[in-house]
Amino acid sequence: MDFNEFSFRVRYGETDQMGVVYHGNYPQYLEMGRVEWLRSMGISYKTMEENGIMLPVISLNITYRKSAVYDDLLTVKTFIRKRPMVRIEFDYEIRNEANELLIEANTVLAFIDMKTNKPIKCPSYILDNLNI
């Protein structure tokens, strides 16, 4: 299984008046996890797009377990469990400093050729870097 972890602090603007992270911010945290997962392999979204490949989200599922609050140090763990083909599927866990599970999530993205707007196979420069 291939995974990456990174941590960040919850900013005030991501919370409601009670200091609780607004639920709509979690998809952005998941995106940060995907970006860091790719970066850990020496690949960037920017480079992929410059090479004519985009990765739109086609499915998003989040199970909320516990709320994050302002100034929490969150750790996003991003997993890939199977080799991508035309789609790439990520699983996630977000935990706080006390290692409490806050959310579990899953996203599916598709590799799309930006010129034709059609699905394409996962680029070899990603496949070659996977440990699965």
Side-chain angles (χ1 to χ4, degrees):
M1 176 178 4
D2 232 353
F3 74 92
N4 179 263
E5 288 184 335
F6 85 101
S7 299
F8 66 97
R9 287 214 179 266
V10 172
R11 298 171 296 182
Y12 184 78
E14 297 167 340
T15 65
D16 60 20
Q17 288 184 327
M18 297 178 293
V20 174
V21 171
Y22 172 65
H23 73 278
N25 285 316
Y26 288 96
Q28 292 178 32
Y29 298 164
L30 303 179
E31 180 183 10
M32 291 164 54
R34 290 191 302 276
V35 167
E36 293 304 319
W37 179 85
L38 280 168
R39 187 171 283 131
S40 73
M41 293 191 305
I43 302 165
S44 74
Y45 262 87
K46 181 179 180 181
T47 302
M48 285 180 54
E49 288 181 349
E50 289 171 351
N51 290 321
I53 299 171
M54 62 181 168
L55 265 177
V57 173
I58 60 174
S59 173
L60 166 66
N61 294 293
I62 299 175
T63 302
Y64 298 93
R65 303 279 183 207
K66 185 174 180 168
S67 297
V69 296
Y70 171 64
D71 207 38
D72 268 356
L73 180 63
L74 302 183
T75 299
V76 179
K77 188 171 187 177
T78 306
F79 304 85
I80 181 170
R81 299 181 192 274
K82 60 185 175 184
R83 288 182 71 80
M85 298 297 283
V86 173
R87 297 177 180 196
I88 186 167
E89 184 173 348
F90 293 96
D91 292 319
Y92 312 83
E93 292 178 353
I94 297 181
R95 295 178 179 269
N96 61 16
E97 285 177 272
N99 203 33
E100 297 171 309
L101 181 62
L102 306 181
I103 73 151
E104 294 174 285
N106 173 273
T107 59
V108 179
L109 295 86
F111 293 97
I112 302 292
D113 183 305
M114 293 172 75
K115 289 180 184 171
T116 65
N117 208 28
K118 303 251 185 204
I120 58 173
K121 290 184 180 180
C122 177
S124 60
Y125 57 82
I126 293 177
L127 293 173
D128 293 345
N129 283 298
L130 294 177
N131 297 319
I132 54 174

